[in-house]
Amino acid sequence: MKITSKYENGTVFWRTFNREDAMYFVGLMEGNLSYGESLQYDHPAGYFKMEMKSNGIFGGQIVAAGRVYSNSDEFVLTKEGHLDRVTN
């Protein structure tokens, strides 16, 4: 999966989870994404869950954990904090 950030309100914290996870405490991978940067993440199983928060792990929720994403997805994180699909 690829996400390019156009989010203008600070750094975005992201972390991923297994597709089967029902609770979201410890992520598989995590990092920060700033305006203009892109994130490339591929899960070995091809599908995963992800969450994104503004300004760190305790920041405001941008994308809630729970939705399943595919390695082939491509998104733009808009300046308002919405994920717009580029491809699927």
Side-chain angles (χ1 to χ4, degrees):
M1 178 194 64
K2 180 179 178 182
I3 297 176
T4 301
S5 178
K6 301 295 182 186
Y7 187 69
E8 298 176 341
N9 296 322
T11 301
V12 175
F13 172 79
W14 62 270
R15 64 181 170 173
T16 60
F17 305 92
N18 286 316
R19 181 180 188 172
E20 300 80 18
D21 288 351
M23 301 179 96
Y24 311 108
F25 297 114
V26 178
L28 300 170
M29 299 255 332
E30 62 184 46
N32 292 299
L33 186 63
S34 297
Y35 178 86
E37 292 182 335
S38 293
L39 157 68
Q40 179 70 44
Y41 176 78
D42 292 313
H43 189 280
Y47 295 92
F48 58 94
K49 294 179 181 178
M50 178 184 66
E51 74 174 344
M52 299 180 96
K53 296 182 177 188
S54 63
N55 301 311
I57 192 168
F58 299 110
Q61 186 170 298
I62 296 174
V63 175
R67 178 178 174 189
V68 176
Y69 296 91
S70 167
N71 287 350
S72 63
D73 289 336
E74 186 174 344
F75 295 96
V76 171
L77 180 63
T78 67
K79 66 180 182 175
E80 296 85 13
H82 303 288
L83 280 181
D84 284 348
R85 184 180 299 275
V86 176
T87 63
N88 61 357

